[in-house]
């Protein structure tokens, strides 16, 4: 058993934990980060989808909702979800933030109040969009369909610094960890710099629970088979929606926190493939280049994503029995893909089984089904006007944006975390990750999680040592930098 004392312990190293760790370390605090996943050097990330799922994600890749209608994914590696995500970084609009303000009672949820936190995080990241010259066949079909049908589209904004190193955004390995250290995961940006400033990191450390005391917080878990225990003046849970909710529930805090585990959202996504007579080669070049930017879609509660996937994910999501499925897989080069992502309004719930297993209660309500249907109809229209010969819809929904469970707000009956990012009634225990979200924004969440972490750093440091930016430049050979 280990017992050490720190100013801060941060559990989890993803979008929230990574940004917060940097700012606390920069303010001279003694910070320990505990992460269940492993540390990888960029060049060592798995080079195939199956290994990447098994080694970089929880539960080997997917975690089903209780009714198995949705397959959820989350990262388990140093850098968390930022290592396995697409790194599309969008600010929230007032449609999302006004809803948060109304639910939480916090006027800090507005475009104006969030602005300087977005500014600060963006200044520390390299942001690029994919030039039209680098679009692949899938992006061209998406753009052509939007233009013919009169819908508005826009370029995506990605956190990346040198995806075009060999000419033309030619790499599709983003979801399995970026071998070029180009994608702006916290493992490639905030964490190495925080370590230079003294951040200590223990990977392979699974935290089970916390005990809040009058002098600080005790954190307990295990590294391999060894039980470990740490002590800090303050503890910040940044273990993501499922992780932080589970740690609080497992710590026996469910009765004290009636809103714990409630208000779980995930932007359910439904993928539709289409077959074309000519090769599309959607697997070549930039994985994603465009997004829907049509106010009618936003008002209707969905967006259309220009996505594709590797052969394993495609095999998982393509419909049909043996022969039909095999035929589609054989035509892999001829497949295009678009998905509808729904802004969900029917809250799910997280709970623990008697044996301590996480249960994810999340079903599609009537509003989500309607939004999905509307989006899927437009996707079919896009395929029709662009000459697809066959359309194939995935049989299951997926959830990549896991949000809520420890909502931030004024009142204990409807929220878990107060405006200072402390758990209600526990001034030394904090939460800083996507679990804070009071509802689903309908927009990519990670930039806002980072912006909230920047705001949390200010709250924790009492404003006196307000966080400043890190250097914008990426190391000459980031692959050699200890991440
Ligand atoms: C395939 C995919 C694509 C995505 N694409 C995008 C995108 O393009 N844009 C976007 O904005 N978002 C995207 N997302 C979502 C985004 O990555 C997440 O919303 C974001 O990373 C969540 O940040 P977080 O800080 O809440 O948690 P995470 O980033 O998930 O970090 C939590 C960390 O805590 C660790 N942890 C959990 N439990 C414990 C425990 N008990 N003990 C120790 N450590 C623990 C985890 O291993 C993890 O490293 C995508 C997600 C996926 C899966």
């Amino acid at each position: 058993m280990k017992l050490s004392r720190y100013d801060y312990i941060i559990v989890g190293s993803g979008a929230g934990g990574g940004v917060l760790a940097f700012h606390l370390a920069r303010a001279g605090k003694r910070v320990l980060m505990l992460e269940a996943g492993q540390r990888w050097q960029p060049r060592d990330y798995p080079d195939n989808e199956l290994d990447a799922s098994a080694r970089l994600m929880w539960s080997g890749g997917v975690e089903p909702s209780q009714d198995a209608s949705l397959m959820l994914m989350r990262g388990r590696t140093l850098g968390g979800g930022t290592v396995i995500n697409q790194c599309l970084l969008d600010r929230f609009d007032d449609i999302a933030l006004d809803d948060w303000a109304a639910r939480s009672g916090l006027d800090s949820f507005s475009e104006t109040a969030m602005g300087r936190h977005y500014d600060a995080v963006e200044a520390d990241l390299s942001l690029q969009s994919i030039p039209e010259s680098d679009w692949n066949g899938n992006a061209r079909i998406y753009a052509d369909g939007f233009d013919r049908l009169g819908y508005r589209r826009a370029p995506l904004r990605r956190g990346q610094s040198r995806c075009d190193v060999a000419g033309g955004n030619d790499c599709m390995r983003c979801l399995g960890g970026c071998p070029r250290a180009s994608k702006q995961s916290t493992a490639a940006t905030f964490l190495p710099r925080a370590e230079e400033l003294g951040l200590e990191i223990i990977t392979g450390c699974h935290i089970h629970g916390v005990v809040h005391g009058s002098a600080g917080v005790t954190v307990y878990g295990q590294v391999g088979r060894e039980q470990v225990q740490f002590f800090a003046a303050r503890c910040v849970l940044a273990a993501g929606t499922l992780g932080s909710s589970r740690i609080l529930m497992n710590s026996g805090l469910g009765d004290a926190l009636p809103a714990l585990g409630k208000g779980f959202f995930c932007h359910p996504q439904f993928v539709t493939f289409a077959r074309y007579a000519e090769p599309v080669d959607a697997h070549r070049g930039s994985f994603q280049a465009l997004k829907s930017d049509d106010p009618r879609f936003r008002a209707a509660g969905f967006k259309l994503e220009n996505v594709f996937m590797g052969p394993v994910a495609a095999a998982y999501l393509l419909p049909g029995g043996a022969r039909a499925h095999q035929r589609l897989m054989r035509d892999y080069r001829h497949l295009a893909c678009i998905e509808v992502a729904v802004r969900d309004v029917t809250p799910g719930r997280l709970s623990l089984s008697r044996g301590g297993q996480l249960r994810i209660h999340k079903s599609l309500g009537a509003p989500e089904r309607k939004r999905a249907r509307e989006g899927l109809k437009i996707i079919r229209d896009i395929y029709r006007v662009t000459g697809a010969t066959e359309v194939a819809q995935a049989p299951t929904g997926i959830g990549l944006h896991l949000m809520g469970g420890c909502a931030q707000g004024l009142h204990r009956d409807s929220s878990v975390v107060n405006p200072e990012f402390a758990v209600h009634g526990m001034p030394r225990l904090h939460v800083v990750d996507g679990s804070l979200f009071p509802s689903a924004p309908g927009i990519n969440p990670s930039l806002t999680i980072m912006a909230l972490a920047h705001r949390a750093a200010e709250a924790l440091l009492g404003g006196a040592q307000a966080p400043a930016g890190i250097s914008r430049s990426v190391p000459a050979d980031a692959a050699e930098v200890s991440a």
Side-chain angles (χ1 to χ4, degrees), residues 11 13 16 22 26 32 36 59 72 147 171 223 228-229 232 277 282 284 288 295 304 329 337 378 404 421 423 429 481:
V11 181
S13 60
F22 167 72
R26 192 170 194 280
L32 173 67
S59 307
L72 310 176
D147 296 349
C171 171
V223 177
V228 290
Q229 195 169 313
R284 296 235 167 97
Q288 251 179 300
L304 301 190
M329 281 307 290
C337 180
I378 296 172
F421 294 84
V423 173
L429 180 60
V481 173

Side-chain angles (χ1 to χ4, degrees), residues 429-479:
L429 180 60
H430 304 265
V431 179
V432 179
D433 57 27
S435 69
L436 295 170
F437 285 21
S439 67
I443 299 174
N444 286 304
S446 58
L447 183 68
T448 299
I449 297 171
M450 292 179 170
L452 289 174
H454 183 268
R455 174 184 282 167
E458 283 187 357
L460 293 175
L461 295 169
Q465 302 162 78
I470 56 175
S471 153
R472 191 189 180 91
S473 63
V474 172
D477 185 355

Side-chain angles (χ1 to χ4, degrees), residues 11-18 34-37 57-58 72-90 158 175 205-208 238-244 246-247 269 288 399-403 432-435 443-449:
V11 181
S13 60
L34 304 173
E35 165 57 52
M57 292 192 195
W58 285 82
L72 310 176
M73 295 178 210
R74 58 176 171 139
R76 180 185 178 138
T77 177
L78 188 66
T82 69
V83 166
I84 54 137
N85 74 10
Q86 258 297 322
C87 215
L88 308 176
L89 297 174
D90 297 318
R158 291 201 69 219
L175 302 187
C205 179
H206 188 131
I207 296 310
H208 300 309
T241 284
L242 303 188
S244 292
R246 182 170 192 269
I247 290 169
Q269 301 178 2
Q288 251 179 300
L400 310 179
H401 302 165
L402 313 185
M403 304 165 289
V432 179
D433 57 27
S435 69
I443 299 174
N444 286 304
S446 58
L447 183 68
T448 299
I449 297 171

Side-chain angles (χ1 to χ4, degrees), residues 191-215:
L191 291 175
R193 289 177 173 84
E195 284 191 290
E196 282 170 19
L197 294 166
L199 171 70
E200 295 174 45
I201 300 179
I202 301 178
T203 54
C205 179
H206 188 131
I207 296 310
H208 300 309
V210 292
V211 177
H212 184 269
S214 55

